[in-house]
Amino acid sequence: MKRSISSIFAISAAVVLTISSCTGRSFNISGAITEAKDSVLYLENMSLSGPVAIDSVKLSESGTFSFSHQAPAAPEFYRLRIAGQIINIAVDSTEQIEVKAQYPTMSAVYDVSGSDECAKIKELALHQMDLQRQVDAIISAPDLGIDAVRDSVQRVTEAYKEGVKNQYIFAQPMRAYAYYALFQTVRLGQMESLIFNPRSNEQDVKVFAAVATSWDTYYPEAERGKNLHNIAIEGMKNIRILQQQQLSSIDPNLVNVSNVIDINLPDNKGQLRRLTELNGKVVLLDFHVFASEGSTARIMQLRDIYNKFHAQGLEIYQVSLDPDEHFWKTQTAALPWICVRDERGAQSDYIVSYNIQSIPTFFLMGRNSDLYKRDAQIKDLEAEIRSLL
């Protein structure tokens, strides 16, 4: 099972932090979801720990519904949901919002009236879907190598961010849709990451800070604004640390002529093992946590791969991020491939160097120690290995 390295920030596009306050006023969301007879439509508030059900209704043939709830003191986020189909809603006053859609395409095709915030959120959701389609097309392109995929994904993502910053966030940073835009995500294979990265991207941290400052002015008691400040401050700290590391610890010996960042860690027998020592072999570079759920099954799969291709020139270089050294040594004692461990765990510099967003993650390297593809780009691992041997 994949575990997000930056799970504290990796919130889904709809799952944003919440504040609820009783104001004595109420808002109403009504409309119709057709083609959904006998389905249960939920109204959910997006809380700090995830969606919280507020109300629900079993839809009739007509699909009509009406929900009323106490209005929040500051902009708040809700969603209408049937199974996995979701419509995101923002409420910033005692609004009368009307939604019309058809199941099961309601997430992408719906009409909303009575709220400019909700109309803007719909625009952002559609833009995000278009970005995801572009990214999926790039990743699945058979003729693109790992560098070309990375550069292409970065290019379309940066273009998306520029448009969203100028048209939605900086234009009206106090609005609910500006807040919503900060937490949109993009999926790279099985990895999902925030489009605006407040953890280590200096420009993105400034975007978070701009919205936080605006919310301080318009909603001084809102927990969302305080949360944005916490995220921005943490991001600034991380950036200062990264900048100091880059200035003080850049070692040209870490990078070989093929631009592969070398790894030099002790194996389970105490011997230092360099990744670049495997030049001439096809290498499966694997990042793993043996204490994670699903580890045993995954190690069995790797053993099958190793047994099939090791004699032909495949090597596995496995980097463990387990915090317990004794447990790791016990788990790897019988494994035939190279098993090293970084005692820094989730704080490993290699996580940043290899742009790792979740664990487990693997890369394939060619015989010249060149990065070929990462797991998100690989549909048939055995076929890819054969092509490199």
Side-chain angles (χ1 to χ4, degrees):
M1 176 180 291
K2 292 270 184 178
R3 297 293 184 188
S4 173
I5 292 296
S6 56
S7 59
I8 190 171
F9 297 113
I11 317 168
S12 70
V15 179
V16 291
L17 306 178
T18 188
I19 174 177
S20 61
S21 176
C22 298
T23 63
R25 301 172 299 165
S26 63
F27 65 88
N28 180 263
I29 303 174
S30 60
I33 310 293
T34 60
E35 304 300 323
K37 182 181 178 182
D38 295 330
S39 297
V40 178
L41 175 67
Y42 294 92
L43 173 65
E44 296 173 330
N45 174 228
M46 307 315 296
S47 74
L48 180 61
S49 58
V52 175
I54 302 298
D55 204 348
S56 65
V57 63
K58 187 174 183 180
L59 297 177
S60 64
E61 180 74 33
S62 66
T64 57
F65 67 91
S66 180
F67 295 123
S68 292
H69 191 64
Q70 290 176 327
E76 189 50 74
F77 297 87
Y78 301 85
R79 70 182 188 182
L80 297 172
R81 180 179 65 84
I82 299 177
Q85 288 289 306
I86 292 168
I87 296 175
N88 294 303
I89 301 291
V91 174
D92 66 353
S93 65
T94 54
E95 293 168 306
Q96 300 291 320
I97 301 170
E98 184 175 14
V99 177
K100 295 181 179 180
Q102 180 175 306
Y103 188 76
T105 59
M106 55 187 274
S107 291
V109 183
Y110 65 93
D111 294 320
V112 60
S113 59
S115 169
D116 182 58
E117 297 282 7
C118 292
K120 293 293 187 182
I121 284 178
K122 177 184 176 181
E123 291 177 12
L124 284 163
L126 294 177
H127 290 327
Q128 180 189 22
M129 292 177 189
D130 184 59
L131 172 64
Q132 188 64 64
R133 283 191 289 268
Q134 294 181 62
V135 169
D136 290 344
I138 292 168
I139 292 176
S140 61
D143 56 337
L144 292 181
I146 187 170
D147 291 336
V149 168
R150 182 188 63 241
D151 293 344
S152 297
V153 168
Q154 182 177 357
R155 184 170 58 253
V156 299
T157 303
E158 288 300 323
Y160 178 88
K161 288 163 64 174
E162 283 301 308
V164 169
K165 282 192 295 186
N166 294 328
Q167 297 175 35
Y168 296 93
I169 299 177
F170 290 153
Q172 296 285 332
M174 79 295 295
R175 302 295 293 271
Y177 59 77
Y179 191 107
Y180 172 89
L182 295 177
F183 294 97
Q184 288 190 297
T185 62
V186 65
R187 188 181 63 258
L188 302 174
Q190 298 183 43
M191 298 180 294
E192 191 166 19
S193 303
L194 287 172
I195 295 171
F196 290 95
N197 173 16
R199 184 183 183 188
S200 57
N201 185 302
E202 185 172 6
Q203 296 306 313
D204 291 354
V205 171
K206 291 178 180 178
V207 177
F208 271 75
V211 178
T213 300
S214 184
W215 276 55
D216 275 349
T217 301
Y218 286 87
Y219 316 108
E221 300 303 319
E223 290 299 320
R224 291 185 184 276
K226 297 174 184 178
N227 175 69
L228 286 180
H229 268 300
N230 291 337
I231 292 174
I233 291 171
E234 188 66 25
M236 291 174 187
K237 291 179 180 178
N238 290 339
I239 289 167
R240 284 197 294 269
I241 292 171
L242 289 173
Q243 289 173 340
Q244 290 171 358
Q245 290 175 341
Q246 290 169 355
L247 290 173
S248 63
S249 63
I250 294 177
D251 183 353
N253 294 322
L254 290 177
V255 183
N256 69 5
V257 293
S258 62
N259 292 321
V260 170
I261 298 173
D262 198 8
I263 299 176
N264 187 26
L265 291 170
D267 66 11
N268 48 5
K269 300 176 180 62
Q271 179 181 353
L272 285 174
R273 303 297 300 268
R274 282 189 177 274
L275 176 62
T276 51
E277 289 175 358
L278 301 176
N279 189 48
K281 294 181 178 292
V282 173
V283 178
L284 194 157
L285 170 60
D286 186 64
F287 290 84
H288 189 73
V289 174
F290 284 86
S292 64
E293 182 181 349
S295 172
T296 300
R298 188 166 183 277
I299 293 302
M300 297 279 290
Q301 294 172 348
L302 288 178
R303 186 182 285 273
D304 288 342
I305 293 291
Y306 185 87
N307 291 340
K308 285 182 181 179
F309 298 109
H310 177 64
Q312 302 173 47
L314 173 74
E315 186 56 80
I316 296 178
Y317 186 99
Q318 187 167 53
V319 181
S320 164
L321 302 175
D322 286 270
D324 188 329
E325 181 179 8
H326 177 73
F327 174 80
W328 164 69
K329 286 184 176 180
T330 301
Q331 294 295 306
T332 61
L335 296 182
W337 53 79
I338 297 170
C339 299
V340 300
R341 172 178 170 269
D342 193 333
E343 64 182 8
R344 295 168 294 184
Q347 304 304 315
S348 170
D349 291 341
Y350 299 121
I351 290 176
V352 177
S353 301
Y354 279 87
N355 191 27
I356 295 171
Q357 302 296 324
S358 60
I359 298 293
T361 290
F362 71 82
F363 300 80
L364 269 183
M365 297 169 52
R367 291 185 182 273
N368 294 322
S369 293
D370 54 317
L371 283 177
Y372 174 62
K373 289 183 179 180
R374 70 186 305 156
D375 54 356
Q377 301 171 262
I378 297 174
K379 295 181 179 179
D380 187 334
L381 178 57
E382 292 192 17
E384 298 285 5
I385 291 174
R386 289 191 187 95
S387 71
L388 294 173
L389 290 172

